[in-house]
Amino acid sequence: MNAILLAITGVSLLVAGFMSAVAWRMTREERRRSDARVAQLAEALYEEDGGSSVTVAQLLETARPDNRPRYLITMLAGICVVGALGGAGIFIARTRSDSPSRNARLQPSDVPLELLELDHEREGGHLIVRGVVRNPADSSERDGLSAVVVLVGHDGSVVASGRSALPNARLLPGATAPFVVTVSGAADIDRFRLSFRSDARLEPHVDRRTS
């Protein structure tokens, strides 16, 4: 959208410049013709022959220039200039409004956790999920973190879920912590989903496993 607005603004400025140049040239030509008519009229006024009145009347009639084309071109140039200024204003406003959203940095509390390790195994009808999670150095302290595992059946429905608190009551910035979650009812499942929760909300996380 910004590229389209920029292109429209550029084209409008080019058209406005071209129309302004045409209007200026027409004004100059009209002034030149008007000066020529005035000179002819002045010369005719001093003629002594009998046809001078006719010549003067004709010159007075032709001395009235038709300004409609010039006014039309000037009006079109003005419309183009206004359109270009309006497009430029919209483009600048959109750029300024989009800049904070593009350049804004995440608040420390919104920096996602990093999943460093993840493994699972079955033991009878239980699924045991183990891993290691890290709180990034540029994040804030997380309190009361828990790992949550949801078992999903072959039809996409939730079969069972389990939750286990991390051993560190407070996970400081840059610190890591292991987790183990055991969920029963895993005899016939398709997959599982892992997430992390604090006392207040669902905590976002990203996969940082190297293997």
Side-chain angles (χ1 to χ4, degrees):
M1 180 62 70
N2 287 343
I4 296 176
L5 287 174
L6 184 60
I8 293 175
T9 301
V11 172
S12 300
L13 288 174
L14 290 175
V15 173
F18 174 76
M19 298 298 289
S20 299
V22 171
W24 174 81
R25 183 173 181 178
M26 290 189 65
T27 301
R28 186 182 65 176
E29 292 294 329
E30 188 61 38
R31 186 179 297 110
R32 185 183 62 80
R33 287 194 296 267
S34 178
D35 293 341
R37 292 192 190 99
V38 170
Q40 292 176 5
L41 180 60
E43 182 180 354
L45 288 174
Y46 289 100
E47 291 181 356
E48 295 180 356
D49 55 24
S52 62
S53 60
V54 177
T55 304
V56 170
Q58 290 175 348
L59 288 174
L60 288 174
E61 182 65 27
T62 58
R64 299 174 183 174
D66 187 4
N67 294 325
R68 287 176 296 178
R70 185 179 64 184
Y71 291 153
L72 178 60
I73 293 177
T74 303
M75 182 180 65
L76 291 176
I79 293 174
C80 291
V81 171
V82 172
L85 293 176
I90 295 174
F91 174 75
I92 293 173
R94 287 182 61 88
T95 301
R96 289 181 176 177
S97 63
D98 291 344
S99 294
S101 61
R102 290 196 301 263
N103 300 328
R105 300 184 63 182
L106 291 173
Q107 296 296 321
S109 59
D110 294 329
V111 176
L113 297 168
E114 298 177 339
L115 181 64
L116 303 181
E117 298 179 17
L118 181 64
D119 195 8
H120 68 280
E121 62 177 341
R122 292 179 184 271
E123 189 175 294
H126 299 80
L127 181 70
I128 303 174
V129 180
R130 298 183 177 89
V132 177
V133 66
R134 177 172 60 196
N135 191 17
D138 56 347
S139 180
S140 59
E141 179 181 299
R142 254 93 172 204
D143 297 334
L145 278 177
S146 297
V148 180
V149 175
V150 175
L151 306 184
V152 180
H154 296 282
D155 58 354
S157 61
V158 175
V159 176
S161 64
R163 179 171 179 169
S164 178
L166 271 65
N168 299 2
R170 294 182 177 179
L171 195 59
L172 300 176
T176 61
F179 61 87
V180 179
V181 183
T182 301
V183 187
S184 59
D188 187 19
I189 63 170
D190 181 58
R191 62 188 184 278
F192 69 90
R193 294 198 297 261
L194 172 68
S195 61
F196 298 94
R197 297 194 65 91
S198 64
D199 295 334
R201 63 172 190 170
L202 178 67
E203 298 287 344
H205 76 277
V206 293
D207 195 340
R208 291 285 187 262
R209 290 178 293 170
T210 58
S211 61

